[in-house]
Amino acid sequence: RTTMDKKGGRKSQKRKAVADTGSGSASADSSNGSIAAAASTPAVDSDGEIQSSDGDESDQDDKDEDEDEDEDGEMEVVNADFDSVAAQKEDFHGIKTLLRQLFRMAPVNVVDLADLVIEQSAIGCLLKQVQDNTIEDDGAAASDEDGAAAASAIAEPPAAAAAATATPEDEVDEEDANVVYALVSALSLKSHAKRDGIQSLIKWMSSKLGQEKSPAMAKILKSRVGFVFSERFLNIPLQAAPLMYQALQEDMAGDAGKAAGFPVDHVVMVVKGVEMRAVQKSTGAGRNNKKSKRRRADASPTLQFCNPEDELIEQHSKLFHTFYADESKEAAMSDIRHKRTLAVLTAKGFAAFVADVQRAVPLADGSHHPLGP
């Protein structure tokens, strides 16, 4: 059983619950309510997103792709301990990096949002790697034996994906003690209504809803609304999700939550996904024509969520709307397109979603987290 405590402004996991998830990607099995690891993870580009290939490639490029696929099958396993900690000033750049990959191409002031997460550090938590090989337990360092038992096997995604999700301006140095590997937090839209980060966020969300859903969203925004941030690197194990959501729920329900504008009537979330288009490689004489090198198949594109637990959100949502993160003509020609989904849940719906995540995601020993409310 995994528990979390908060002492001296710092949240520490008494025992680490993250475990090997293969490539760091997984999918939900609706037949038994579980989430299973997928076989592979797509490559990631310099913006920290899943990378696609262009249609005008050389013959050598096709050969290189086949070789890359073989290499992708080999994954390096790394043992690491992670601490769940409260956000501090030195975490600003790490938080901003995660927010930038969540709000890809969006005119949202992530600088101000990162400041708000730090100012309201009593709500939510960050996941950072333990640097001194010790784990805090009520103020005391854990023994070497406990530390070894708590270490988790984490399989890094291949090649470019192993670089996690850095942006060109915020390249991640994994030796840096301030690297933020995951973030879960919540902000009351009403309490911070005058902040530019919140205003730009509301404006962007409203602009993505069509005429059919805009009135419903406008009505929801008149109630008490909390925006929940949940973002992590691709190679962070799925098992971190229920643990961090549980901590967020406890914070929102406590005295710190009341001071921060909680409880709320609705929870709004933005989650990442990619639309995968099936492609067919041409053969024979057609290979001499670059334009016919690769053509899209007739199969409909499929949506994959980057964080597999997000597949469980729709069934609990009052409003659920998916749109393209990049609507440029260049992006439209890609075989893989980045998408975002805006989900609005009632307070009870959010609690049910977290409980479903806790039921679906097993710990390293096969047990499950305690169910939420």
Side-chain angles (χ1 to χ4, degrees):
R1 176 169 178 164
T2 300
T3 59
M4 299 180 66
D5 64 359
K6 190 187 301 181
K7 188 171 183 178
R10 177 181 175 85
K11 299 177 183 178
S12 302
Q13 292 178 229
K14 291 182 179 179
R15 300 184 68 181
K16 300 299 177 291
V18 291
D20 183 10
T21 59
S23 65
S25 176
S27 59
D29 182 354
S30 58
S31 63
N32 58 20
S34 64
I35 298 181
S40 63
T41 299
V44 174
D45 62 20
S46 60
D47 285 332
E49 298 288 355
I50 296 179
Q51 188 177 24
S52 63
S53 57
D54 296 326
D56 295 335
E57 299 158 322
S58 65
D59 291 343
Q60 183 61 39
D61 289 338
D62 284 337
K63 181 178 180 181
D64 292 341
E65 285 179 0
D66 294 337
E67 293 177 352
D68 289 341
E69 290 176 359
D70 294 337
E71 293 175 357
D72 287 353
E74 300 178 1
M75 294 179 293
E76 179 183 1
V77 176
V78 177
N79 291 323
D81 289 327
F82 289 94
D83 255 354
S84 172
V85 302
Q88 300 180 25
K89 289 183 178 180
E90 57 264 30
D91 300 315
F92 171 78
H93 290 291
I95 295 171
K96 185 180 73 172
T97 296
L98 290 175
L99 293 180
R100 288 186 63 185
Q101 71 180 42
L102 177 63
F103 298 109
R104 178 185 175 92
M105 307 296 292
V108 175
N109 189 341
V110 295
V111 172
D112 193 43
L113 290 179
D115 284 334
L116 279 171
V117 170
I118 295 171
E119 293 170 18
Q120 194 181 270
S121 60
I123 306 298
C125 58
L126 311 178
L127 197 66
K128 299 178 69 175
Q129 189 170 353
V130 177
Q131 299 297 314
D132 56 1
N133 295 323
T134 61
I135 303 173
E136 291 185 1
D137 189 355
D138 295 333
S143 65
D144 292 340
E145 180 179 354
D146 290 339
S152 303
I154 299 176
E156 294 188 348
T165 48
T167 59
E169 294 82 0
D170 297 306
E171 293 185 359
V172 175
D173 179 2
E174 295 189 0
E175 299 299 324
D176 186 351
N178 292 322
V179 172
V180 178
Y181 289 89
L183 158 71
V184 169
S185 186
L187 295 173
S188 166
L189 300 188
K190 184 177 181 179
S191 298
H192 305 290
K194 295 183 179 180
R195 296 289 291 262
D196 185 63
I198 297 299
Q199 292 179 359
S200 63
L201 174 60
I202 293 175
K203 183 178 180 180
W204 171 72
M205 290 190 299
S206 299
S207 71
K208 293 300 180 180
L209 297 172
Q211 294 182 354
E212 181 180 349
K213 297 180 180 179
S214 291
M217 187 62 175
K219 185 177 180 180
I220 289 170
L221 290 174
K222 292 180 180 179
S223 66
R224 297 178 300 172
V225 179
F227 189 95
V228 170
F229 303 91
S230 178
E231 182 60 9
R232 63 180 183 268
F233 287 168
L234 286 176
N235 57 351
I236 292 302
L238 173 62
Q239 281 78 4
L243 181 145
M244 297 182 76
Y245 273 127
Q246 178 182 334
L248 177 63
Q249 280 189 314
E250 293 173 356
D251 291 341
M252 293 169 66
D255 293 337
K258 293 178 181 179
F262 296 95
V264 293
D265 302 313
H266 295 90
V267 168
V268 180
M269 302 178 68
V270 171
V271 298
K272 298 191 310 180
V274 289
E275 183 180 82
M276 314 287 288
R277 286 177 177 162
V279 296
Q280 293 179 338
K281 294 181 180 180
S282 59
T283 58
R287 295 182 64 88
N288 295 325
N289 187 339
K290 289 185 177 181
K291 292 184 178 180
S292 65
K293 272 287 303 300
R294 184 183 295 266
R295 66 180 185 273
R296 293 176 178 82
D298 294 333
S300 299
T302 58
L303 175 65
Q304 282 187 347
F305 289 105
C306 295
N307 293 336
E309 70 273 13
D310 292 339
E311 297 181 15
L312 304 173
I313 291 180
E314 184 174 7
Q315 60 186 305
H316 300 292
S317 297
K318 183 176 181 178
L319 186 152
F320 195 81
H321 181 68
T322 300
F323 52 91
Y324 291 112
D326 186 352
E327 297 180 348
S328 67
K329 293 182 179 180
E330 182 179 3
M333 297 300 294
S334 176
D335 294 328
I336 301 178
R337 295 197 63 182
H338 307 288
K339 304 195 80 170
R340 295 295 180 267
T341 295
L342 175 64
V344 179
L345 303 82
T346 63
K348 289 184 179 179
F350 179 69
F353 160 68
V354 174
D356 275 357
V357 173
Q358 291 173 326
R359 290 187 185 96
V361 182
L363 300 179
D365 60 1
S367 63
H368 286 71
H369 292 272
L371 296 183

